[in-house]
Amino acid sequence: MNSRRTTVRDVRRTNRSALLSRLFLDGPVSRLELSRLTGLSAGTVSNVTGELIDEGVVVEAGLVESDGGRPRVLLRVDPAYGYVIGVDVGPTRVRTELFDLSMRALATVDRPVGAGDPDPGTVAALVAAGVREAVAGADVAAERVLGVGIGVFGTVERGRLALVHAPTVGWDAVPLEALIRAGTDLPLFIDNGAKTLGQAEMWFGAGRGARHAVFALVGSGVGAAIVTDGTTYQGTSSSAGEWGHTAIVYGGRPCRCGGRGCLEAYVGAQSLLDRYGAELPGDEEARLAALIDAADRSAAADRLLDETAGYLGVGIANLVNLFNPERIVLGGWAGLALGTRLLPRIREVAAAQALAHPFSEAAIELSRLGPDAVAMGAATLPIAELVARGGSRPPVQASSR
């Protein structure tokens, strides 16, 4: 039992956090609207927003007409109060983006990881270098950066320093945070890439307004973020959402995880290209695009894509039956490429396989944030920390250099 008493400081931080959350997600809004959205009194809203304006966190953003009387002043989080960086760490590339607090991208750095299973040291070096290049490219002072969010493949084990487990590429308890921290002093926030995609879509994209949703990420591998009652489900050790490693064919194709018949072994980009067999030029993204394009001329490619739509439909039906979401969002670079062509067929198969009533309550749609959703979601991790702290900047973390 927690016997700690709530202090005035606790209440103040909670109020600041509640107001900042609404300003960030719904701004610009008036003080009257903030009172309605948060349930805080008009006096509390006025006092707290006055503090936040004095500290430079919040700024006035114009006027809106009221129903009689003077126009109301609109407030918003100051986009220039600080900057955040989001990193999308995939098995084949590292994409780094720097945003202001309006989530406008100011700099982007994209670097390939190289062929074969990614080396942890190489990935960490690419992340640290991408952060430095993004800061320089945006021409902002490093001390103005609130933190670096990193969305990574595999399971993120939280502790004093985050460890990454990704058996599909041979990573077992890789100390990725410590490796990256050797190259940067900025605060680091690390989570699974499907979960950062889900957070971005919940805040800004196809998940807005939903309380129960599943966000499916299909790239080289396959994962998902499960949001229930507005909160991302983590599980005992943060590995919840490994949708790609749920079996859909008993004794089926071997999967990179060591199992057989996993969904990823049929719909992941790497597995899909392996199933096609024909040589295609370019990197993985270019080859998948060529395969999709070939379906208009090749019966074999068309048949393969129809099978893939079937497997995705079955996988989505399983999500419907297990979690009863109101929304399922298909994203990731491969998910978007496949979904743009196959979504009607995916919905058709899902409808045939899912229980009728929960399926009737679930909308199935594509990500609205495109291939940048993982990096954007990762960038919201330091923002979530800023909001939780009531607008106070996080302390600078010591580098191990």
Side-chain angles (χ1 to χ4, degrees), residues 18 116 195:
K195 292 183 172 73

mmCIF file of all heavy atoms in Angstrom, residues 18 116 195:
data_model
loop_
_atom_site.group_PDB
_atom_site.id
_atom_site.type_symbol
_atom_site.label_atom_id
_atom_site.label_comp_id
_atom_site.label_asym_id
_atom_site.label_seq_id
_atom_site.Cartn_x
_atom_site.Cartn_y
_atom_site.Cartn_z
ATOM 1 N N ALA A 18 -2.062 17.841 -17.232
ATOM 2 C CA ALA A 18 -3.367 17.709 -17.891
ATOM 3 C C ALA A 18 -3.572 18.803 -18.932
ATOM 4 O O ALA A 18 -4.042 18.546 -20.054
ATOM 5 C CB ALA A 18 -4.480 17.748 -16.846
ATOM 6 N N GLY A 116 22.839 -8.368 -44.590
ATOM 7 C CA GLY A 116 22.947 -9.337 -43.510
ATOM 8 C C GLY A 116 22.319 -8.835 -42.223
ATOM 9 O O GLY A 116 21.741 -7.748 -42.159
ATOM 10 N N LYS A 195 5.060 -0.174 -31.461
ATOM 11 C CA LYS A 195 4.415 0.604 -30.394
ATOM 12 C C LYS A 195 4.574 2.105 -30.634
ATOM 13 O O LYS A 195 3.656 2.885 -30.346
ATOM 14 C CB LYS A 195 4.983 0.203 -29.036
ATOM 15 C CG LYS A 195 4.594 -1.230 -28.615
ATOM 16 C CD LYS A 195 5.119 -1.548 -27.234
ATOM 17 C CE LYS A 195 4.576 -2.892 -26.720
ATOM 18 N NZ LYS A 195 5.179 -4.046 -27.399
#
